[in-house]
Amino acid sequence: MSAPTRRSLREQATAIDASPSAPPASASVQPRPTGRGLGRMLADVVLWIAAIAGVACMVLVVVALTANITLIMFRTGSMAPTIPAGSVAVVQSVAAPQLQVGDVVTVDREGDLPVTHRITSIAPGANADERVITMKGDANAADDPYPYTVQTVRIVLFSIPGIATAIVAMGSPYVLGGLTVGATVLVVWAFWPRSTTSSRVRRAPTEVDR
């Protein structure tokens, strides 16, 4: 068998150099974790709580308007210990014929603050819609000095002690301003657009024959 010539060796080397190199290894994509921080999660929780509280407030407002329900605050302790000073009571407007002895009601007085005491007696008035009632505070030793002629009163449904101060503070312009600013900052921070980090693409090294 004859030895290869120089020309055949050059042709073999050229064929090897011209052959297509091996395809590069497929790129492996490793996305960077995009977990939200603890602050973002807390902000979402606070926003949900605020949204639920807002809906509850709207429902309560609708119920209050349709059922003639309002709030009254107790500055004195004339109804203690049943309703101590600093309490807030939920009251509903009712017609005088619905009243019973023992009810705690609020009576409006012309030229003076309303009074909230317990009914001790009920007498007929000048017409079917009118009643003459006497009242007494639970902490007082005697009835109020004069009876009250009423057609409607506000009956106490229930009371919550110790929250009158907080409700009064909520009406302060400084408190309202602080709550408004805080809520605005929270909403802006929660919904502020954030840039997303692009995924890192790592390619396996390829060997090149030279």
Side-chain angles (χ1 to χ4, degrees), residues 18-31:
S19 62
S21 58
S26 60
S28 59
V29 179
Q30 298 180 356

Side-chain angles (χ1 to χ4, degrees), residues 23-194:
S26 60
S28 59
V29 179
Q30 298 180 356
R32 185 177 180 180
T34 58
R36 295 189 298 179
L38 180 60
R40 177 76 180 199
M41 295 176 62
L42 291 177
D44 289 344
V45 172
V46 173
L47 287 175
W48 273 107
I49 294 175
I52 294 173
V55 172
C57 288
M58 288 188 291
V59 172
L60 290 176
V61 168
V62 173
V63 171
L65 292 176
T66 56
N68 294 323
I69 293 176
T70 55
L71 301 178
I72 60 171
M73 291 181 288
F74 288 79
R75 297 182 178 180
T76 66
S78 63
M79 280 299 297
T82 306
I83 306 177
S87 300
V88 171
V90 177
V91 297
Q92 183 179 22
S93 180
V94 297
Q98 301 179 24
L99 298 178
Q100 297 179 357
V101 173
D103 290 340
V104 178
V105 298
T106 298
V107 175
D108 294 323
R109 298 182 293 179
E110 186 177 355
D112 203 348
L113 294 175
V115 59
T116 303
H117 283 166
R118 192 179 301 277
I119 297 176
T120 56
S121 69
I122 302 176
N127 54 63
D129 297 329
E130 192 175 81
R131 295 291 185 274
V132 179
I133 62 175
T134 59
M135 301 197 302
K136 171 182 170 298
D138 289 358
N140 297 341
D143 288 350
D144 294 353
Y146 49 84
Y148 306 94
T149 301
V150 297
Q151 291 187 348
T152 60
V153 298
R154 288 174 286 171
I155 189 169
V156 175
L157 302 178
F158 62 90
S159 62
I160 304 175
I163 66 170
T165 304
I167 291 180
V168 172
M170 290 292 292
S172 170
Y174 299 102
V175 175
L176 292 175
L179 292 175
T180 302
V181 172
T184 303
V185 171
L186 179 61
V187 171
V188 171
W189 181 82
F191 292 99
W192 191 265
R194 290 168 172 78

